Amino acid sequence: MVVYSKKITIKTKKKLDFVRITDLVRQAVKESGVQDGIVLVNPMHVTSSVYINDNEQGLIDDFKEFLEKLAPRDFNYHHHLTGEDNGFSHLWRTIMGREVVVSVQNFELELGRWEEIFYAEFDGERSKNILIKVLGE
Amino acid sequence: MVVYSKKITIKTKKKLDFVRITDLVRQAVKESGVQDGIVLVNPMHVTSSVYINDNEQGLIDDFKEFLEKLAPRDFNYHHHLTGEDNGFSHLWRTIMGREVVVSVQNFELELGRWEEIFYAEFDGERSKNILIKVLGE
Amino acid sequence: MVVYSKKITIKTKKKLDFVRITDLVRQAVKESGVQDGIVLVNPMHVTSSVYINDNEQGLIDDFKEFLEKLAPRDFNYHHHLTGEDNGFSHLWRTIMGREVVVSVQNFELELGRWEEIFYAEFDGERSKNILIKVLGE
């Protein structure tokens, strides 16, 4: 059994950003030497998401409008009583999900034709860690 | 350590459909020979979901109305500029989630009394693959 | 390879409740003896969630208002034709998610600074089981 861990750091220039990380995860899978198994990918933060969907800018714009409709940025959240101003970030991350678990086959990520792994940042402009964990043989 | 992979294909007759796949996953777990471990189940497509909830038709109707309220089908999504007409399908899949990870114990899926595994199709009438990956010993 | 299973039981006094379970999961990881691997945590019920976010009461209040807005408690869900009255519980659990998978490193949960594991109960006042499954070496 092989267990391999890697952390990557992302610092987006914008408060909100969607970054395709499929190749970074693919690279970690290669480094692990795992032929057959799974890989877990998650941010180590509570205001961002790792999710899988289409790599298409229009869809990313749709995600932003959809999230804004469900949990508006400009709203006086209870969480703001702590001095924070990122209540929406916590809710957006909840909608988009925290983590993905993906199959590894023949030393490669086993993704469908349109499946791309994204890091969605909802409170950026600072360094954030993404954890990649590969298990298998 | 045992790692077992299987793909199953589902082609729904309707554009929107909810298909109970608990027994198909149970069968794959049996085939794997894994006594104690986990199983990952995910569609290899970005317009459908694998999720766990109650096998009850009223609830499935509730899901449809809930999803329609959050992301209406009849809306001019940015994603449609690509020529696609399934913007809502990508959003619905996001709400319902991509994958489930379930415990395997004594060669069996370890599910609660009302936990049933579903494949939710939001862009059907064509063949879709579901990946099942069993890990354990 | 080590595979370790544990179930914990929680009975909330309120119908709706959010219970921090990080330390219970940490304890199970210790008991497993796994040095490097992953842990899966999920309720064995379809009206509750295990999720990861900030341990902050204001945010928990925000979650409740957000969920109420997306799927009101006081609504005549199709699911109620079965005699149940917890349609919203199934939808809230869908929004918050079913399970989390977390890295285990050096015999410890590998969580970010603000990542806390929560059990969110949407149909409480009775005993519910949470499954914890640790895999690794």
Side-chain angles (χ1 to χ4, degrees):
Chain A
M1 185 192 191
V2 178
V3 185
Y4 179 79
S5 289
K6 184 178 187 176
K7 280 173 202 151
I8 55 178
T9 303
I10 288 184
K11 185 178 175 177
T12 61
K13 286 180 189 153
K14 292 181 287 183
K15 209 76 176 162
L16 302 184
D17 212 351
F18 289 69
V19 184
R20 181 184 166 277
I21 59 168
T22 315
D23 294 334
L24 295 171
V25 179
R26 191 169 278 137
Q27 175 65 22
V29 167
K30 283 250 166 67
E31 290 163 12
S32 75
V34 168
Q35 180 170 8
D36 198 5
I38 55 171
V39 54
L40 163 70
V41 191
N42 66 270
M44 301 189 75
H45 305 268
V46 291
T47 52
S48 55
S49 293
V50 170
Y51 75 90
I52 287 179
N53 216 310
D54 204 347
N55 181 22
E56 200 277 299
Q57 186 57 47
L59 180 65
I60 290 171
D61 293 339
D62 289 324
F63 274 131
K64 286 180 197 162
E65 291 183 11
F66 165 71
L67 293 165
E68 175 68 30
K69 192 181 85 169
L70 266 47
R73 260 176 289 183
D74 186 16
F75 182 81
N76 192 17
Y77 293 102
H78 297 290
H79 185 51
H80 296 177
L81 291 171
T82 61
E84 294 281 353
D85 62 355
N86 61 0
F88 79 94
S89 315
H90 294 269
L91 300 181
W92 288 24
R93 118 60 167 263
T94 301
I95 298 164
M96 298 300 290
R98 171 183 178 261
E99 80 226 5
V100 297
V101 180
V102 180
S103 170
V104 172
Q105 189 81 28
N106 296 328
F107 306 102
E108 291 280 359
L109 277 180
E110 192 174 14
L111 292 170
R113 173 75 181 85
W114 302 104
E115 284 192 295
E116 296 276 357
I117 308 176
F118 274 86
Y119 172 72
E121 175 64 80
F122 305 130
D123 192 15
E125 299 173 336
R126 44 184 169 158
S127 291
K128 301 285 194 96
N129 292 319
I130 300 170
L131 183 152
I132 304 173
K133 190 107 190 186
V134 195
L135 274 93
E137 56 181 11
Chain B
M1 184 191 191
V2 178
V3 186
Y4 178 79
S5 289
K6 184 178 187 176
K7 280 173 202 152
I8 56 178
T9 302
I10 287 186
K11 185 177 176 178
T12 60
K13 286 179 188 153
K14 291 181 287 183
K15 209 76 177 163
L16 302 184
D17 213 353
F18 289 70
V19 185
R20 181 183 165 278
I21 59 169
T22 315
D23 293 334
L24 295 171
V25 179
R26 191 169 276 137
Q27 174 65 22
V29 167
K30 283 249 166 66
E31 291 163 12
S32 75
V34 168
Q35 180 170 7
D36 198 5
I38 55 170
V39 55
L40 163 71
V41 192
N42 67 270
M44 301 189 74
H45 306 267
V46 290
T47 53
S48 55
S49 294
V50 170
Y51 74 91
I52 288 180
N53 217 310
D54 204 347
N55 180 23
E56 199 277 300
Q57 187 56 47
L59 180 64
I60 289 171
D61 293 340
D62 290 323
F63 275 131
K64 287 180 195 161
E65 292 182 11
F66 165 71
L67 292 165
E68 176 67 30
K69 192 181 83 169
L70 266 46
R73 261 176 288 183
D74 185 17
F75 182 81
N76 192 19
Y77 292 102
H78 296 289
H79 185 52
H80 295 178
L81 290 170
T82 62
E84 293 282 353
D85 63 355
N86 62 359
F88 78 95
S89 315
H90 294 269
L91 300 181
W92 289 24
R93 117 59 167 264
T94 301
I95 299 163
M96 298 300 291
R98 171 183 177 260
E99 80 227 4
V100 297
V101 180
V102 180
S103 170
V104 172
Q105 189 82 27
N106 296 327
F107 306 102
E108 290 280 0
L109 278 180
E110 193 174 13
L111 292 170
R113 173 75 183 85
W114 302 103
E115 284 193 296
E116 295 277 357
I117 307 175
F118 274 86
Y119 172 72
E121 176 63 81
F122 305 130
D123 192 14
E125 298 173 335
R126 44 183 169 158
S127 291
K128 302 283 193 96
N129 292 319
I130 300 169
L131 182 152
I132 303 172
K133 190 108 191 186
V134 194
L135 275 92
E137 57 180 11
Chain C
M1 184 189 192
V2 179
V3 186
Y4 178 80
S5 288
K6 183 177 186 176
K7 279 171 203 152
I8 56 178
T9 302
I10 287 185
K11 185 177 176 178
T12 61
K13 285 179 190 155
K14 291 181 287 182
K15 210 76 175 163
L16 302 185
D17 213 352
F18 289 70
V19 185
R20 181 183 166 279
I21 59 169
T22 315
D23 293 334
L24 294 170
V25 179
R26 190 169 278 138
Q27 175 64 21
V29 167
K30 283 248 166 68
E31 290 163 13
S32 75
V34 168
Q35 179 170 9
D36 198 7
I38 55 170
V39 55
L40 163 71
V41 190
N42 67 270
M44 302 190 73
H45 305 268
V46 291
T47 53
S48 54
S49 294
V50 170
Y51 75 90
I52 288 180
N53 216 309
D54 204 347
N55 181 22
E56 199 277 300
Q57 187 55 47
L59 180 64
I60 289 171
D61 293 340
D62 289 324
F63 274 131
K64 287 181 195 160
E65 291 182 12
F66 165 72
L67 293 165
E68 176 67 29
K69 192 180 84 169
L70 266 46
R73 261 176 289 183
D74 184 18
F75 182 81
N76 192 17
Y77 292 101
H78 296 289
H79 184 52
H80 296 178
L81 291 170
T82 61
E84 294 281 355
D85 62 356
N86 61 0
F88 79 95
S89 316
H90 294 269
L91 301 181
W92 289 24
R93 118 57 167 263
T94 301
I95 298 164
M96 297 301 290
R98 171 183 178 262
E99 81 227 4
V100 297
V101 180
V102 179
S103 171
V104 173
Q105 189 82 28
N106 296 328
F107 306 101
E108 290 281 0
L109 278 180
E110 193 175 13
L111 292 170
R113 172 77 182 83
W114 302 103
E115 285 193 295
E116 295 277 356
I117 308 176
F118 273 86
Y119 172 72
E121 175 63 81
F122 305 129
D123 192 13
E125 299 173 336
R126 45 184 169 157
S127 292
K128 301 286 193 92
N129 292 318
I130 300 170
L131 184 152
I132 304 172
K133 190 109 190 185
V134 194
L135 275 92
E137 58 180 11

